[in-house]
Amino acid sequence: MTAATGKLIIGLDFGTTFSGASWLYLDNGLPVRPAGVEPIIVSRWPSGSQGYRHCPKTPSKIYYDEETDQPICGYEIPNNVEPLQWFKLLLLDHEHLPDHLKISTQIKAARRIMENIGKSIVQITGDYLRYVWDHVMREIRLQEIRLQEPGYAGEETQISVFITVPTTWESYACERLKEAAEVAGITGNHHAGTISLEVVSEQDSALRAVLPDAANMMNLGVGESFILVDAGGATVDVASYQVDSLQPLVVAKRVEGDGALCGEVLLDEAFDIFVRQHIGSNLWNNVPIDTKKRWLENHWENIKSTFDGVHIGTSKGPWKFETPPGCKGRILNLRVDTIGVVFEQVFAKIHGLIEDQITAIRRETQEVPKFVVLSGGFSRSPYMRNYLNTAIRGDTAAINSSGYRPWSAICRGAVLTGGALIGVLPERVRVDIRIMRRSYGWEYSSYFIEGIHRDEDRFWDASQQCDLAKNQIQWGVNKGEYMPARQPKSYQLTKCYTESQLLYETISHTIYGYDESPLPFQVDQSVRLAGTLMCQAEAFHRAWVAVPDHPEGGYHILNYEITFQGSGADLEISLISNGALMVKGVVPM
């Protein structure tokens, strides 16, 4: 049988607390499913319970068997062991974590368990991603019949995998994630086809998945703004946009985003404190861990997923729950006001993030946002939407989709984002203007000025016949600056070389980032190394200009430019000569 042809796009949402995936198969550029360009969500994650059969996510947890050292992941981990959780965030160096995560008990526990495991974070992440990847490919083959055809080898199928990362992640963390994907066997040649992998922004992916529905629901118009809330298990992140165009749907980021550690795990911790206060910490501590987990799954998960501020499920309360064995038969009594306090203390933090965005939008556009669109697993809580619609001032409404769609938004959006990047899917939402979260500049040497520059930076430059000061920084883009996607910011540069130097010299520019203000203009310990742009001077041969009457003779001036341009959630920094790209680097915006 002739091998099938087509493109398979897979979106992986590797989350802090849960992970998921979706996919879309195209044959000759057309989706083969009646749903069109709506990605298909992977479910039926391995577990010992039928209750998770239709769940679109699996826990981001891993445990290594003490006897075999084999990894056990997700729902399959026994209740009576302590798995490694939150390990995704360990791909970042500690100093680059947001302040609210540096001090979290979950991060401290993750580091402790990882040290006990004795494996690198790349190896651990790779082992977990292998579990995810193997299940994803099994599910795709079960549902996509042409991948099951006898004799099908898949050599002509192009598989493009897009894995999501936070917008603020450092480039080295993205590289570590790619290394973990290699460990997992995701990249390279595969019996299902040739596989490529790229990282894409979580925030952009969520936006592309949820905005079209929300815009139609709320009749969004040009010039109006909205807030995107990604409420996950660990953190809640907010970002604000203004609509520039409806056909196509183009938005601009007008206010810098924000986030806090107030996700679903914080609600779990608040309930844990509540239980301790009502039945006693000593009794609660004595309950075996597996018994406690089963009790929480049977009772707390139902409360958390159905409490709307008045009801738990269809019951209006008050409610009585038997405590697990070991608690001396005590009854946990709940009323709307008592359980409401548990919820409100967490959701008040989310409300605070949203109100800060509303204030900033009003200052920037003189209007309040039309709506707040909720995505992420935590946003499925009926209490969240009801609470926010009561708490938010003015006419701004909080909306979300039903069912699992908010929880699967990022993995669905990863397929849409990736498909647009490789040119096989239309760009449903385009972000034309973003806000710089960090300043970036390049190291250079300037004319030495007594009293301004450091004596240790002074050196004689034969080409210019004067003293220069090295270790200076020229800032190209500043934190808080608007960065249009299609309008590069350029700076003209020159270097002077002898003709022999042009044949072997390397053009090198060290790039630095800085998060604060005011900006320093000399390299010191406060600036952050972002990377280096390097290429051979000989590559610029068409830009050489001879310097007539130079005192030492034989010198040439090299004219070129350094450019800064937004590309998705990243900033591209390039060296260009005579309109030709010489070298390019990418840093997080």
Side-chain angles (χ1 to χ4, degrees):
M1 175 169 278
T2 303
T5 62
K7 294 182 183 295
L8 177 60
I9 308 170
I10 300 174
L12 299 180
D13 172 15
F14 173 39
T16 303
T17 56
F18 281 86
S19 297
S22 68
W23 60 280
L24 191 64
Y25 187 81
L26 299 101
D27 192 11
N28 295 320
L30 298 174
V32 299
R33 294 298 184 92
V37 294
E38 186 62 28
I40 299 160
I41 301 167
V42 173
S43 59
R44 296 189 291 195
W45 293 96
S47 72
S49 170
Q50 291 297 315
Y52 299 115
R53 183 172 178 80
H54 300 292
C55 187
K57 293 288 188 76
T58 185
S60 300
K61 301 178 182 179
I62 187 169
Y63 174 76
Y64 289 89
D65 186 272
E66 293 182 357
E67 295 183 0
T68 65
D69 199 38
Q70 291 299 305
I72 306 170
C73 302
Y75 294 115
E76 294 186 302
I77 297 175
N79 277 333
N80 61 345
V81 300
E82 184 180 33
L84 175 61
Q85 307 177 71
W86 289 49
F87 58 92
K88 166 187 171 178
L89 300 178
L90 301 185
L91 289 165
L92 276 172
D93 293 340
H94 183 74
E95 60 266 27
H96 294 155
L97 284 171
D99 289 340
H100 59 268
L101 290 175
K102 287 179 181 177
I103 60 175
S104 73
T105 57
Q106 291 85 359
I107 290 293
K108 293 177 182 177
R111 292 194 187 283
R112 171 181 57 81
I113 297 172
M114 188 177 80
E115 289 177 4
N116 292 336
I117 291 172
K119 300 180 187 293
S120 72
I121 186 57
V122 169
Q123 180 64 53
I124 291 170
T125 304
D127 288 341
Y128 177 78
L129 289 179
R130 184 185 299 110
Y131 148 78
V132 171
W133 178 251
D134 288 348
H135 177 71
V136 167
M137 293 308 294
R138 278 196 302 270
E139 285 297 300
I140 292 175
R141 288 194 195 93
L142 285 173
Q143 296 187 55
E144 183 47 61
I145 192 66
R146 58 190 68 210
L147 296 182
Q148 304 173 16
E149 293 176 354
Y152 173 66
E155 290 86 354
E156 296 184 31
T157 297
Q158 296 177 357
I159 304 177
S160 300
V161 182
F162 298 91
I163 187 166
T164 60
V165 297
T167 304
T168 56
W169 261 28
E170 303 290 334
S171 55
Y172 73 81
C174 297
E175 290 305 312
R176 289 173 183 172
L177 183 58
K178 289 181 179 180
E179 290 174 24
E182 290 184 20
V183 172
I186 295 177
T187 54
N189 292 322
H190 195 273
H191 63 269
T194 301
I195 304 175
S196 64
L197 181 138
E198 295 293 337
V199 296
V200 292
S201 160
E202 290 176 351
Q203 195 173 85
D204 283 6
S205 297
L207 181 70
R208 288 185 172 92
V210 303
L211 182 58
D213 289 345
N216 292 332
M217 186 189 310
M218 299 300 292
N219 194 27
L220 188 64
V222 173
E224 293 181 318
S225 59
F226 63 93
I227 299 172
L228 173 67
V229 176
D230 179 18
T235 60
V236 174
D237 298 299
V238 294
S240 300
Y241 303 85
Q242 187 176 36
V243 178
D244 285 347
S245 166
L246 291 176
Q247 296 292 336
L249 187 48
V250 180
V251 299
K253 204 169 186 179
R254 294 298 184 190
V255 176
E256 187 172 346
D258 199 359
L261 186 62
C262 51
E264 189 170 351
V265 169
L266 273 295
L267 185 58
D268 295 339
E269 291 181 352
F271 183 71
D272 182 82
I273 294 171
F274 175 83
V275 173
R276 292 175 184 276
Q277 290 172 342
H278 284 76
I279 68 174
S281 286
N282 290 335
L283 289 177
W284 189 239
N285 289 337
N286 289 331
V287 177
I289 186 171
D290 55 337
T291 303
K292 188 182 296 184
K293 286 181 178 179
R294 283 195 300 270
W295 185 86
L296 289 170
E297 287 178 2
N298 292 334
H299 299 295
W300 169 234
E301 292 300 324
N302 177 54
I303 296 170
K304 184 170 58 174
S305 62
T306 63
F307 181 63
D308 60 6
V310 177
H311 305 87
I312 295 177
T314 58
S315 172
K316 199 170 183 179
W319 306 274
K320 293 183 179 182
F321 295 94
E322 292 184 1
T323 54
C327 293
K328 297 182 178 180
R330 295 193 179 181
I331 300 297
L332 185 65
N333 294 294
L334 299 182
R335 302 191 310 272
V336 167
D337 56 342
T338 57
I339 193 63
V341 170
V342 174
F343 278 74
E344 185 172 357
Q345 60 184 295
V346 176
F347 286 95
K349 296 178 182 179
I350 300 173
H351 174 229
L353 289 173
I354 293 171
E355 286 292 349
D356 288 345
Q357 292 286 298
I358 291 174
T359 299
I361 292 172
R362 185 186 290 114
R363 184 170 56 245
E364 190 71 25
T365 69
Q366 287 72 56
E367 300 286 345
V368 297
K370 189 163 188 176
F371 59 81
V372 176
V373 58
L374 307 174
S375 68
F378 198 19
S379 73
R380 295 179 302 139
S381 163
Y383 184 90
M384 179 181 286
R385 188 169 68 175
N386 292 345
Y387 175 82
L388 292 177
N389 276 321
T390 301
I392 294 174
R393 295 171 295 167
D395 297 327
T396 303
I399 62 172
N400 65 349
S401 300
S402 59
Y404 284 131
R405 287 181 66 79
W407 201 11
S408 64
I410 291 179
C411 65
R412 289 187 291 114
V415 170
L416 301 173
T417 299
L421 283 175
I422 62 176
V424 298
L425 291 178
E427 194 170 24
R428 292 176 62 172
V429 180
R430 191 173 78 221
V431 183
D432 258 7
I433 298 178
R434 300 178 188 272
I435 297 175
M436 292 300 304
R437 289 174 171 263
R438 179 178 297 161
S439 300
Y440 286 101
W442 67 95
E443 183 180 350
Y444 77 111
S445 297
S446 69
Y447 293 112
F448 182 85
I449 302 174
E450 290 279 359
I452 299 296
H453 297 118
R454 299 174 297 205
D455 286 339
E456 61 265 29
D457 292 334
R458 185 174 187 167
F459 71 99
W460 173 257
D461 184 72
S463 67
Q464 300 188 56
Q465 296 289 294
C466 65
D467 283 338
L468 299 182
K470 61 183 178 181
N471 296 325
Q472 308 305 299
I473 302 179
Q474 173 67 52
W475 296 102
V477 290
N478 297 330
K479 181 179 179 179
E481 179 180 343
Y482 288 137
M483 181 56 61
R486 290 166 173 77
Q487 297 176 26
K489 194 173 183 180
S490 301
Y491 297 86
Q492 296 298 319
L493 303 178
T494 61
K495 283 186 178 289
C496 196
Y497 292 109
T498 64
E499 190 165 340
S500 61
Q501 285 176 323
L502 285 169
L503 298 177
Y504 64 81
E505 195 74 24
T506 297
I507 304 291
S508 176
H509 286 285
T510 303
I511 307 299
Y512 289 99
Y514 195 70
D515 294 333
E516 308 298 331
S517 61
L519 294 170
F521 289 93
Q522 294 174 323
V523 177
D524 58 30
Q525 292 182 344
S526 68
V527 297
R528 179 183 296 178
L529 177 64
T532 303
L533 298 177
M534 297 179 64
C535 65
Q536 292 300 119
E538 187 179 11
F540 292 78
H541 67 277
R542 293 182 181 177
W544 301 351
V545 178
V547 181
D549 303 323
H550 192 281
E552 298 192 8
Y555 273 89
H556 290 72
I557 286 179
L558 190 59
N559 295 302
Y560 59 104
E561 59 185 314
I562 185 169
T563 66
F564 298 79
Q565 181 170 355
S567 175
D570 295 322
L571 181 71
E572 293 182 349
I573 307 177
S574 306
L575 298 183
I576 295 176
S577 175
N578 286 341
L581 175 66
M582 297 290 105
V583 64
K584 178 175 68 176
V586 177
V587 294
M589 194 176 290

